[in-house]
Amino acid sequence: MGKIVVILGFLSRLLYAEESTTQDHSFKNTCISCHQQQQIPSALIYKRYLMKYSTDRGMEEAMFIYMKDPKKENSIMPAPFFLKFPMKEKISLDDSSLRKHIQAYLEEFDIKKKLMLEK
Amino acid sequence: MLRSEKRSLIRFLIIYLGSTFILFSIASWLFYISSKHHLLDKQRESLKYEAEHIKSQLRILHQSNDAKLIYPNEKDSQSAIYNVDKEYIFGTFQTKQSLDINKYENRLYHSMKVEPYYLGAAYLVVAKDINFEPIGKLQRNIFLFMLGAGLFFTMLGYFLGKLFVAPMRDAMEKMNHFIQDTTHELNTPISTILTNIEMIETFGKHKENSTELKRIEIASKTLSRIYDDLTYINLNHKYHRQIVTVNMSRLVEERMVYFSAMAEAKGLDVTVTTDPNVILQIDKNDAIRLLDNLISNAIKYNRSKGLLHVTLTEDLFSVRDTGIGIRSKDLSTIMQRFKRANKSEGGFGIGLDIVNQVVSSYGFVLEINSKEGEGTEVRVKWEK
C-alpha cells in the first residue's frame, strides 16, 4: 500500500512539473518573446502595478481587465507610454489560460522575492 | 524636655510630617507619571523618525534593479511591511508578526500607512524595546528628592514644633517651679505638726479619742501625702530608684494603719485581706506611692459609711470602694496628670498619674472597673 502511495505521489509530481514547464514555456512564447521584441519594460510595468495594487490578487485582476479589453482607460500606464509603445491587440486566450499567464508573469517579475536581510 | 512637651512635639511632628509626606507623595507621583509619559513620547518620536527613514528606503528599493534588495535593518528596532490585505510581506522580526498592535503592548511600536505601495507595502510597523534607563534615573531622582525633602521638613518641623510648644513649656515650667517652691515651704510646718501630734499622743497630754486631735492628725497626714506626691512628680525625671525586696503584706498593713484615722472619720467599713509575705522587688517609695494613692482615693471618693475592700494576693493588689464611681467616658483619660473626673473632693489630679507611672515602670497591669454611683475597683496585677 505504501509503495502505491509513493508511486502515485511521484507520478502526480511528474505530471505537475511537466504541466508547469509547459505553462512556463507557453507564457514565454506568448508574452515575453513579444515584450522583448518590442522592448516593453516588463519589470517596470510590474513595479507600477505593484505600487498601485499592493497584492498579487489586485494586480492580476487589473491586468486581466486590461488584457480582455486593452485601452488607455483600463491601463495604469501613463499616456506618453502609448506614444512609444503600440496599444496591445486584444488577446485570443481563454480566461483560464490568460489568468495562468498573468500569474506566471507576476511570479517571474516578483521583486518581493529579492528582499533579504544583510548578513 | 518635659513629658507633655515631648508628647505634644511628637504629635505635631506626626501630623506635620504625615501631611507633608502625603502632599509630596501625590505631587511626586503626578510628576513621575507626567515625566514618564514625556520620556516614552520622546522614544516614540525617535521610532516615528525611524519609520520615515525605512519608508524612504522602501522607495529606493522599489526603484532598484539589483538582483538582491537589502531590507533596511535598524540597530535598535525591528520592522515589518504588510500588503493592503494586512498580510505579512517581509520584516526583521524573529517571527512573522501579524498586524495586531496588541502584540506590542510591552514594547513601543509605531504603525504607519505607506502610499504608494512601495514593494507592495501598504502598512509599516516599527517596534523596539522600551529603554528603562531614563525611567530608572527619574525614579532615583524622585527618591533622592523625597529623601532630601523629608530631612529638610523633619528639621523644619522640629524647629517649628519647638517654637509652638515653647509657650506651653514656659507655663509648665512655671507651674513646676511653683509646685517645687510650695512643697518646699510645706515640708517644715507639716513635719512640725505631725511630730507634735505624736508627742502629745505619746506623753498623754490629751484626752483619749480627742476628736479635735484626730482631725488635726488627718489633715496633717493629707497634707503630708500631697507633699509626698508632689515631690515624687517633681523629682520623677531625675529620681534614682533603689530596687529592694519589699514585703508588700506588711506594707499594706502599715499603710492601712496610716489611713485608719481617715477611714474612721468617714465611718467606712474596712476589710483588708492580705496573703502573708507577698514579696516584690520594687523601690519602697514607689510601692508607698502606689498603695497610698489607691487607698486614699478609695477613702476620699467613698460615700459616708460605705465599704472599703483592700485585697493583696500573690498576683494582684485590689482596692474596691462603694463611692461615686467614674463615668465610662472618663475612664480612658482618668490617668492623665491634672485630670479630675470629679471635682467634689479636693486634690490636684495627680494620684492616678503617679499610679500609672509606677505601674508602667515595673510592667504591672492596671485595671479600673467602675460604675457611676455604685463604686470603683482598681486592680494592679503584678504580672504582665
Side-chain angles (χ1 to χ4, degrees):
Chain A
M1 182 65 185
K3 282 179 185 175
I4 295 166
V5 172
V6 171
I7 291 163
L8 280 173
F10 176 73
L11 283 172
S12 71
R13 185 147 184 86
L14 199 70
L15 278 168
Y16 174 77
E18 202 173 318
E19 190 189 354
S20 178
T21 315
T22 316
Q23 184 70 42
D24 195 42
H25 191 68
S26 166
F27 159 68
K28 279 187 177 156
N29 283 340
T30 317
C31 308
I32 299 298
S33 59
C34 187
H35 273 220
Q36 279 171 347
Q37 257 180 20
Q38 293 181 27
Q39 292 184 323
I40 294 169
S42 301
L44 188 81
I45 292 168
Y46 172 86
K47 283 181 185 175
R48 204 171 170 84
Y49 270 92
L50 180 64
M51 207 159 73
K52 181 158 185 188
Y53 293 103
S54 173
T55 60
D56 285 357
R57 197 165 38 80
M59 287 193 284
E60 184 189 320
E61 206 53 42
M63 284 178 183
F64 182 79
I65 290 167
Y66 174 70
M67 294 290 183
K68 294 297 281 182
D69 186 12
K71 55 183 181 187
K72 279 183 191 172
E73 294 79 37
N74 289 340
S75 171
I76 66 159
M77 300 312 281
F81 180 82
F82 297 102
L83 297 176
K84 191 173 179 183
F85 303 102
M87 183 61 73
K88 188 178 161 35
E89 288 171 19
K90 201 169 180 178
I91 205 151
S92 59
L93 288 168
D94 63 275
D95 287 2
S96 169
S97 302
L98 178 59
R99 282 194 186 277
K100 279 178 184 163
H101 279 73
I102 293 170
Q103 282 160 10
Y105 171 81
L106 294 176
E107 180 73 15
E108 175 76 18
F109 294 99
D110 186 4
I111 57 167
K112 298 190 294 286
K113 286 195 297 191
K114 294 183 189 175
L115 278 170
M116 59 181 64
L117 293 173
E118 198 168 28
K119 284 173 186 167
Chain B
M1 191 184 281
L2 295 168
R3 235 172 10 127
S4 52
E5 185 191 351
K6 204 172 174 180
R7 205 164 48 217
S8 299
L9 189 62
I10 289 169
R11 278 180 190 165
F12 169 78
L13 279 176
I14 288 170
I15 293 167
Y16 174 72
L17 290 178
S19 54
T20 310
F21 178 74
I22 291 168
L23 199 70
F24 267 73
S25 297
I26 293 169
S28 297
W29 176 251
L30 292 174
F31 175 73
Y32 171 70
I33 295 290
S34 151
S35 301
K36 189 182 164 190
H37 277 291
H38 178 67
L39 287 170
L40 291 177
D41 282 348
K42 263 172 81 176
Q43 291 185 31
R44 271 193 204 101
E45 275 302 312
S46 76
L47 211 58
K48 276 184 196 172
Y49 176 78
E50 282 178 24
E52 287 296 335
H53 178 67
I54 292 170
K55 189 180 166 185
S56 68
Q57 293 286 98
L58 291 177
R59 185 174 58 81
I60 294 166
L61 288 177
H62 188 91
Q63 288 162 355
S64 168
N65 291 320
D66 294 346
K68 289 177 183 174
L69 301 177
I70 307 297
Y71 184 83
N73 193 3
E74 301 290 329
K75 201 173 76 179
D76 299 325
S77 62
Q78 291 84 46
S79 65
I81 50 176
Y82 300 83
N83 68 20
V84 78
D85 290 339
K86 298 183 179 176
E87 290 163 350
Y88 180 85
I89 299 174
F90 198 81
T92 56
F93 289 106
Q94 286 190 340
T95 52
K96 283 186 182 179
Q97 301 270 351
S98 65
L99 189 61
D100 179 6
I101 56 166
N102 291 328
K103 286 197 172 175
Y104 303 96
E105 61 185 3
N106 292 324
R107 307 177 75 198
L108 287 175
Y109 75 93
H110 178 66
S111 167
M112 70 184 294
K113 284 187 173 179
V114 182
E115 210 162 358
Y117 308 137
Y118 298 120
L119 298 175
Y123 300 97
L124 168 66
V125 171
V126 188
K128 72 173 176 185
D129 292 331
I130 296 170
N131 182 6
F132 285 102
E133 201 184 314
I135 295 169
K137 200 175 165 188
L138 176 71
Q139 285 172 344
R140 273 197 303 280
N141 286 343
I142 288 174
F143 174 73
L144 287 174
F145 168 75
M146 287 289 284
L147 201 69
L151 280 172
F152 173 74
F153 280 100
T154 304
M155 285 192 289
L156 186 71
Y158 186 75
F159 174 72
L160 285 175
K162 285 282 231 181
L163 275 181
F164 289 150
V165 296
M168 188 189 82
R169 185 182 58 218
D170 291 346
M172 294 290 284
E173 271 176 2
K174 273 181 194 165
M175 198 167 165
N176 275 347
H177 282 136
F178 172 74
I179 292 169
Q180 218 167 2
D181 295 345
T182 312
T183 50
H184 181 74
E185 295 302 322
L186 278 172
N187 187 26
T188 315
I190 290 167
S191 302
T192 310
I193 294 167
L194 283 171
T195 315
N196 280 290
I197 289 169
E198 270 178 39
M199 280 175 70
I200 292 166
E201 282 174 347
T202 311
F203 297 113
K205 291 178 183 173
H206 72 295
K207 287 187 274 177
E208 279 295 318
N209 295 323
S210 162
T211 315
E212 291 80 9
L213 205 60
K214 283 275 177 204
R215 280 180 189 159
I216 294 169
E217 186 187 348
I218 291 166
S220 306
K221 281 182 174 174
T222 306
L223 276 175
S224 174
R225 198 179 44 73
I226 292 170
Y227 166 77
D228 289 340
D229 281 351
L230 290 174
T231 312
Y232 183 87
I233 280 183
N234 246 339
L235 298 175
N236 191 41
H237 57 287
K238 48 193 172 189
Y239 177 68
H240 180 69
R241 290 187 168 88
Q242 282 187 315
I243 307 297
V244 291
T245 304
V246 175
N247 187 328
M248 291 297 286
S249 309
R250 202 174 299 154
L251 191 65
V252 167
E253 280 162 17
E254 276 174 30
R255 299 323 292 169
M256 287 314 294
V257 170
Y258 179 82
F259 284 107
S260 59
M262 279 171 77
E264 270 175 39
K266 210 155 186 179
L268 297 180
D269 182 2
V270 181
T271 317
V272 183
T273 315
T274 56
D275 284 359
N277 297 321
V278 175
I279 304 294
L280 281 187
Q281 296 296 321
I282 191 169
D283 178 274
K284 194 166 183 184
N285 191 34
D286 281 344
I288 292 170
R289 298 268 55 75
L290 178 75
L291 300 180
D292 279 13
N293 276 297
L294 293 178
I295 296 165
S296 71
N297 274 352
I299 296 169
K300 193 161 70 176
Y301 294 107
N302 215 327
R303 64 181 158 78
S304 187
K305 292 179 185 168
L307 300 173
L308 171 64
H309 296 281
V310 178
T311 311
L312 176 76
T313 67
E314 290 287 343
D315 301 320
L316 57 85
F317 172 71
S318 152
V319 180
R320 184 153 53 87
D321 65 54
T322 51
I324 52 172
I326 305 163
R327 282 172 295 200
S328 54
K329 72 178 176 72
D330 291 328
L331 275 173
S332 57
T333 55
I334 193 76
M335 282 173 287
Q336 287 174 7
R337 185 178 292 184
F338 307 127
K339 175 77 186 178
R340 293 175 64 213
N342 188 299
K343 294 187 173 76
S344 63
E345 300 290 329
F348 295 109
I350 54 177
L352 278 177
D353 176 51
I354 290 173
V355 170
N356 196 36
Q357 279 185 47
V358 175
V359 162
S360 304
S361 301
Y362 293 92
F364 301 154
V365 177
L366 180 68
E367 284 177 4
I368 303 176
N369 298 309
S370 185
K371 218 167 190 182
E372 201 179 353
E374 288 186 18
T376 304
E377 184 182 14
V378 183
R379 288 172 165 217
V380 177
K381 291 182 178 171
W382 310 132
E383 297 296 326
K384 276 185 186 177

